[in-house]
Amino acid sequence: MADAKFSFSPTELQGISAAEVGRVPAFDFDERGRGAFRLVDGALVERSGVEAVKQWFALMLRQPPDAIPVYRTDASTALGVDRTLLQKRAPLGFITAEIERQVRETAAFNPAIRTVDSFVFTRLRRGLQVEFTAHLRTGEDTEVTAYVDSE
């Protein structure tokens, strides 16, 4: 891909612990799926460690593959989840298997994550609630819940 911003693939990443993820600005989503940075008295609230990893998943599950240039890579694997799957007339089993594959491939880009498993999908409105367990390189486990909509 000629316009890739990251010139690496997930297999080239070195593992780090969740504590080494660093500080990131807190970004929250409302019930309509709109997001905004969290401010307290005009200052950005920060997240680190496991909370930063959970936020990373929340953002990546809303990220369509190759939609935003800064997230493009040279690898054949793209970060994000193809939400247009939910608009197709395909069996729910196929859609959930494909979303699970995309989540696993996206998780490979985060060096703090060792594996993801225990997926549970719940059909809500025009989307799916995706729940899974992320196993971090520190040995910690964290439960991730996100809503993947069709829009």
Side-chain angles (χ1 to χ4, degrees), residues 134-149:
H135 303 281
L136 308 180
R137 296 196 184 272
T138 59
E140 297 173 282
D141 296 338
T142 183
E143 302 299 320
V144 178
T145 302
Y147 179 69
V148 178
D149 65 355

Side-chain angles (χ1 to χ4, degrees), residues 7-146:
S7 60
F8 60 83
S9 70
T11 57
E12 298 169 358
L13 290 176
Q14 297 288 325
I16 63 170
S17 68
E20 295 176 59
V21 169
R23 301 176 337 208
V24 296
F27 195 82
D28 292 325
F29 294 93
D30 64 13
E31 62 279 350
R32 293 184 179 185
R34 294 179 300 207
F37 288 105
R38 185 186 306 167
L39 300 174
V40 173
D41 295 331
L44 280 172
V45 175
E46 295 180 340
R47 291 191 175 124
S48 61
V50 173
E51 290 303 313
V53 172
K54 288 173 99 170
Q55 177 174 299
W56 182 84
F57 270 118
L59 293 171
M60 286 301 111
L61 290 172
R62 287 172 169 80
Q63 165 67 36
D66 283 335
I68 300 176
V70 73
Y71 294 128
R72 292 190 182 142
T73 69
D74 287 342
S76 60
T77 303
L79 281 88
V81 173
D82 182 7
R83 301 175 328 185
T84 62
L85 288 169
L86 298 168
Q87 299 169 351
K88 298 181 180 177
R89 291 184 172 254
L92 186 59
F94 170 79
I95 293 169
T96 58
E98 190 62 20
I99 289 175
E100 180 177 338
R101 180 189 64 78
Q102 292 174 356
V103 169
R104 288 179 189 276
E105 289 179 355
T106 297
F109 281 94
N110 189 319
I113 300 167
R114 187 171 32 90
T115 60
V116 292
D117 62 15
S118 304
F119 283 83
V120 175
F121 295 92
T122 306
R123 186 69 142 158
L124 298 174
R125 298 181 301 274
R126 292 184 287 182
L128 287 173
Q129 179 172 308
V130 181
E131 300 174 55
F132 56 91
T133 302
H135 303 281
L136 308 180
R137 296 196 184 272
T138 59
E140 297 173 282
D141 296 338
T142 183
E143 302 299 320
V144 178
T145 302

